[in-house]
Amino acid sequence: MTGTWQAFNGSWQPFFWRTVVAADTQSVPNTITVDVPIRYPAKTRDGASVRREKGFLTGVGVESLGIANAVGWDEAWSVDRTHAIEIAHAADSFVRDVVTFPSPNAPSSGNGAGAHLLSGGILVRESKRVTVAHVELALAQNRGSGGNGYLFEIQRSSEVLIADAKGTAGRHNFIQNWGFGTTGCVFLRVESRDGKNVTGKDDSTAFTALSEFHHSLATANLIDSSLFDDGFSIINRNDESTGAGQTGTQNALWNSRGKGMLRSLQFGWGYVIGTLGLSVVTESVLPMSLGTEPVDLVEGQELAATLEPPSLYEDQRQRRLSGR
């Protein structure tokens, strides 16, 4: 990724949000133990170090709420990346039982009529152990370029669970975005429909846009028991989006179904286990495949209905709770 990953050059940033649970200052070299594996090498070559992060919000939540922020059509297209809810620098927090509804400020007819959201839905950034559950977000007005129409968005966060959630008529309904450090996150029983990339305010041209890992090597995440009628994508995006480059590695798509496309061209290994109805793409002559060898592992195509266990997340959770 030399020449591609340049947006963060010269700045230190956290890749892995962890808690130090033990420190041994007698060993040579000194060692620390963290609560969660980091899942990818942190190299001294790259100036890797451990630093204390302060100021996390803890135990905060948003629940049992209806939200809508759609506005006039021209106004919606005059701004970028407007989210209805943002969770930032938080730990052990949640959003649950939230739905969108037709905004009273949306146009009564024509473009944008009946819209729920101006652009984005929920953004979780620079956080850890956050749960977003039983949430339905729909009908964004601005689904154009510039980071708009992202209904469920994770940035630089770890151990985030998005469960039993529906995203409809955004651009990228479920997305990891902008920067390194998204690891250990789970999309569980999510449903994505009608993701569209709209050309512009005055142009009704639109084409299917997939849920995806969007930027800078999302690592060891899980998409589990989910439906994509538009699709899901993990590829090398090269210079797109200010040098997105390789967007994922070691991610697993488990028990995926729908009518859309599932693209898994991950750096190193990726895993596609159990599908139904989806068009699975693991190789391409296009630049999206550059540096993504070997071809990701695919098992159980069209056998999702008989996959055992049906949910990898629920199986692991039960094993841990029972001490197995």
Side-chain angles (χ1 to χ4, degrees):
M1 291 289 98
T2 300
T4 300
W5 284 341
Q6 300 185 84
F8 308 100
N9 284 359
S11 63
W12 189 94
Q13 59 177 321
F15 278 33
F16 309 105
W17 305 91
R18 300 293 185 266
T19 299
V20 176
V21 295
D24 183 351
T25 59
Q26 302 304 311
S27 64
V28 180
N30 297 167
T31 62
I32 61 170
T33 302
V34 294
D35 59 338
V36 177
I38 63 173
R39 303 193 180 93
Y40 202 79
K43 298 183 178 181
T44 54
R45 177 201 68 184
D46 301 323
S49 60
V50 178
R51 302 189 187 185
R52 176 173 291 177
E53 288 286 331
K54 299 180 180 179
F56 275 100
L57 296 171
T58 60
V60 298
V62 177
E63 67 177 336
S64 303
L65 189 68
I67 57 173
N69 66 348
V71 292
W73 184 248
D74 289 343
E75 184 182 353
W77 284 83
S78 69
V79 293
D80 291 324
R81 292 191 55 73
T82 300
H83 294 85
I85 295 175
E86 180 174 347
I87 304 292
H89 303 287
D92 304 310
S93 299
F94 64 90
V95 179
R96 63 182 175 225
D97 299 323
V98 171
V99 298
T100 57
F101 61 93
S103 171
N105 296 319
S108 57
S109 61
N111 289 333
H116 296 190
L117 297 169
L118 187 161
S119 171
I122 296 174
L123 169 62
V124 179
R125 66 177 178 88
E126 296 169 340
S127 297
K128 60 183 179 180
R129 300 191 301 271
V130 172
T131 295
V132 178
H134 303 286
V135 174
E136 298 185 16
L137 307 178
L139 298 172
Q141 290 173 304
N142 188 341
R143 296 198 273 175
S145 60
N148 294 294
Y150 298 173
L151 300 188
F152 295 84
E153 180 177 355
I154 299 172
Q155 287 188 3
R156 304 184 299 281
S157 298
S158 61
E159 279 63 59
V160 173
L161 171 65
I162 297 180
D164 301 297
K166 295 181 181 179
T168 304
R171 186 172 175 225
H172 303 299
N173 291 332
F174 295 87
I175 187 170
Q176 167 274 339
N177 187 31
W178 192 243
F180 303 90
T182 297
T183 174
C185 297
V186 178
F187 296 89
L188 175 67
R189 295 186 297 270
V190 305
E191 298 182 10
S192 177
R193 295 180 174 88
D194 196 31
K196 296 288 185 182
N197 186 345
V198 179
T199 304
K201 175 176 71 73
D202 301 316
D203 188 348
S204 60
T205 303
F207 54 89
T208 299
L210 312 184
S211 294
E212 66 179 14
F213 291 156
H214 195 69
H215 206 289
S216 302
L217 208 67
T219 303
N221 302 284
L222 173 64
I223 299 92
D224 188 342
S225 307
S226 295
L227 180 146
F228 298 100
D229 277 350
D230 32 35
F232 198 94
S233 179
I234 313 171
I235 60 174
N236 182 354
R237 298 186 63 236
N238 296 286
D239 291 329
E240 294 183 65
S241 301
T242 319
Q246 301 280 5
T247 60
T249 184
Q250 303 172 25
N251 300 287
L253 297 109
W254 186 277
N255 194 354
S256 305
R257 61 196 186 283
K259 298 181 290 187
M261 176 187 298
L262 195 161
R263 297 191 306 203
S264 183
L265 293 91
Q266 303 185 44
F267 174 76
W269 282 106
Y271 307 91
V272 179
I273 312 295
T275 67
L276 183 64
L278 291 161
S279 173
V280 178
V281 177
T282 57
E283 297 181 81
S284 175
V285 297
L286 300 175
M288 72 173 70
S289 70
L290 292 175
T292 62
E293 301 83 1
V295 175
D296 291 348
L297 176 68
V298 178
E299 291 183 353
Q301 280 190 266
E302 299 304 313
L303 298 176
T306 59
L307 189 62
E308 182 60 37
S311 168
L312 188 59
Y313 173 86
E314 296 288 9
D315 181 72
Q316 290 183 344
R317 182 174 183 271
Q318 181 57 39
R319 288 170 181 264
R320 291 179 182 181
L321 290 175
S322 63
R324 293 162 59 189

